[in-house]
Amino acid sequence: MTTLTIVVRYFASARAAAGEEEEKVQLPAGASVGDAVAELRRLHPVGLPRVLDAASYLVDGVAVRDPGRSLRDGAELDVLPPFAGG
């Protein structure tokens, strides 16, 4: 397999900046979370990069601290901007 496809789900201000709730993104095989974020910046150059700078990420429901974490085909990447309140 030379590519993989992930599902990116956007929440709150990330959804507004991307202009959609979710999308499928193709990446090279062996791509990492950092690679996916770079591709999201390329796909949505207006507004979303600022949100991505402050966002946290979940892969298949698990928080990601290491942008070098590899992604598998079919993975779900959640983009979670900082939320107000508590």
Side-chain angles (χ1 to χ4, degrees):
M1 177 186 313
T2 58
T3 63
L4 57 89
T5 302
I6 63 169
V7 176
V8 179
R9 300 188 310 170
Y10 299 103
F11 294 86
S13 61
R15 179 183 299 156
E20 53 196 332
E21 187 172 318
E22 104 178 14
E23 68 179 317
K24 290 185 178 180
V25 176
Q26 279 202 324
L27 299 165
S32 67
V33 171
D35 296 329
V37 172
E39 179 66 2
L40 297 177
R41 289 176 188 281
R42 188 189 71 73
L43 292 171
H44 303 281
V46 178
L48 189 59
R50 182 181 56 78
V51 175
L52 295 174
D53 288 343
S56 57
Y57 302 94
L58 302 178
V59 173
D60 296 329
V62 178
V64 174
R65 304 262 184 259
D66 177 9
R69 177 179 171 176
S70 295
L71 294 167
R72 65 168 180 80
D73 188 52
E76 286 186 351
L77 177 67
D78 294 342
V79 180
L80 305 170
F83 294 95

